[in-house]
Amino acid sequence: APTKRASLLPAEAFDAPARTVQRPARKAEASTPHPAAERPQAALDFDPRQAGGAPAEALREPVELPAAEPVEARAEPAAQAPALAPAQPARRAQAASRPARKPRTGEGRKLFVLDTNVLMHDPMSLFRFEEHDIFLPMIVLEELDGHKKGTTEVARNARQASRSLDALAGAQGADIASGLKLDTTGHPEAGGNLFFQTQPLVNHLPASLPQGKADNQILGVVAALREQHAPREVVLVSKDINMRVKARALGLITDDYQNDKTLDDLDLLYAGALALPPDFWSKHGKTVESWQSGHHTYYRISGPIVPSLLINQFVFFEAPGEPSLYARVTEIRGKTAVLKTLKDYGHLKNAVWGVTTRNREQNFAMNLLMDPEVDFVTLTGTAGTGKTLMALAAGLTQVLDDRRYTEIIMTRATVSVGEDIGFLPGTEEEKMGPWMGALDDNLEVLAKTDNGAGEWGRAATNELIRSRIKIKSMNFMRGRTFLNKYVIIDEAQNLTPKQMKTLITRAGPGTKIICMGNLAQIDTPYLTEGSSGLTFAVDKFKGWPHSGHITLARGERSRLADFASEVL
């Protein structure tokens, strides 16, 4: 069986012009075998070690001989190899006149020193640095060993990082002294080497930094490596802000671990709605096709705006003196897109469980919540925009009236705003009771919408509603499968991407999942707006035909809450 992974030819190599290979005469080949003549021409033109593929111009350049072997020993006189092409002896003579090349490990590659918190945050971070090399100080391995016990996510990540290191060190032909190749365990995207600290490094840190602290030992290693490998760039990668501040104060290059961040700027997050330009009808009106189907009108448009559209994205056109258009993108084929007009849930005849929408974004959200073809809905917005109320109203209508789902399952991340009050008594639902105050408040509003039922009727309806709503803890979700359920995940901004994946993959046939949250109110200490699981889900699901997202803009709770969310 082959011992090495085959290298794929990059797409750019297909465009390179074909060249004829000059074959030597058989007598000369038998008398004077030459290593360069035995290798095929493709081996001279294509270097599989280049990550990401090389352009066609680079493929036509001659490959230099490695500096490990003396060039003079390999260059033979032209008289001994008369069958070679005339350009090849000249090429080798030119290579012999050049100075010996440096090893590939230092050619433009950076050396990243990883802090322990990077490995505990993402155990696959070892393979996220492309062609660059990675260095692990000995104190990092010591700290990994100290955090491996327990059932927390940090302990799980520490154990997984240790297993990855063990697999790299135990690979065939691995040599710690010369560096472990990161692509030996099935990660071809990692083209660099992994280096461990195998000898003490002398550092010149200020005396005011105590040497016994782990952070300062790592800073000392980075400072020593910078002197040892100059002028190569040595970068410290850490999730610890104070560590990065100290490194910059010492003149060291440092950076945050960026791979876990979906977006650098929250303003770039997909909003789910797009305002059509004022000249939309003048530019696209001549080529628009329209037809009626049921209660909806469809428009097929083509023009410069189509490439910027996504499936299930909402578009709206509002201009003084012209009729407004509120539609959703249902189909994109080539340079054309189909828009479908929306149902107006702001009108009383279309009220959902007695609830009518009050603004444009709420109407967009209700169209997603009531559509059986949309399996995954994400709602973001500030406090008081009606996320929970609309999700519950749509859920109750589809569970009790339409019988589309069997029950509502509601869960949330149990992250407290202030100090924890300790253990809670009772069953799982009783323990989750204090966390579900938002559910009780919204059910109280929904129970008052039935004015003609009287006090007894409202009490019976309330009991029926309570029997169809189950409150579950996230801690026991592993291994479950939800069939025909309407799942609401509240406060989803406090979930990590891994927790979000765990919850979404519980969905079975006929299940709809609604994720709601306010990215400005993250209470988890190690999450930011860019690395939150809600941001991760919005970005990864955009454009999927069975998912939708909308950012609710206007608060409808009260004038006091709206003013407070703006000025505080």
Side-chain angles (χ1 to χ4, degrees), residues 308-479:
S308 62
L309 298 178
L310 292 169
I311 295 289
N312 282 340
Q313 185 177 17
F314 292 95
V315 294
F316 60 93
F317 177 81
E318 294 176 340
E322 295 190 32
S324 300
L325 170 68
Y326 302 100
R328 189 173 74 185
V329 181
T330 58
E331 179 185 318
I332 297 177
R333 287 189 180 180
K335 296 182 180 179
T336 63
V338 175
L339 306 181
K340 175 185 176 182
T341 56
L342 304 178
K343 189 174 182 179
D344 183 16
Y345 287 101
H347 199 280
L348 277 175
K349 68 177 182 179
N350 295 327
V352 178
W353 203 263
V355 174
T356 55
T357 56
R358 296 188 180 182
N359 57 52
R360 181 180 62 222
E361 286 79 16
Q362 282 189 353
N363 193 39
F364 292 164
M366 194 62 83
N367 274 271
L368 288 176
L369 293 170
M370 295 297 293
D371 190 348
E373 290 298 316
V374 178
D375 299 333
F376 183 71
V377 180
T378 48
L379 303 176
T380 59
T382 58
T385 48
K387 302 183 292 292
T388 310
L389 182 67
M390 287 193 299
L392 274 175
L396 290 173
T397 299
Q398 294 175 88
V399 168
L400 296 174
D401 294 347
D402 303 340
R403 303 294 178 89
R404 191 174 293 153
Y405 309 104
T406 56
E407 64 182 3
I408 298 174
I409 293 179
M410 195 162 184
T411 184
R412 59 165 288 173
T414 53
V415 181
S416 56
V417 177
E419 290 293 327
D420 205 344
I421 61 173
F423 291 104
L424 299 171
T427 62
E428 178 188 355
E429 293 216 4
E430 290 172 346
K431 288 178 184 294
M432 291 294 295
W435 298 101
M436 289 299 172
L439 173 65
D440 299 331
D441 299 340
N442 286 284
L443 286 182
E444 187 179 340
V445 174
L446 293 173
K448 288 182 179 178
T449 55
D450 192 6
N451 295 321
E455 195 68 31
W456 288 95
R458 278 200 296 268
T461 305
N462 209 6
E463 285 298 319
L464 179 62
I465 290 173
R466 292 281 181 179
S467 67
R468 293 300 181 94
I469 297 179
K470 297 290 191 299
I471 301 169
K472 299 295 181 185
S473 173
M474 276 179 28
N475 302 336
F476 312 111
M477 289 292 183
R478 184 80 73 186

Side-chain angles (χ1 to χ4, degrees), residues 95 195 223 227 254 260 317 331 349 382 517 521:
F195 296 95
E227 297 177 4
T254 182
D260 64 322
F317 177 81
E331 179 185 318
K349 68 177 182 179
T382 58
Q521 293 182 346

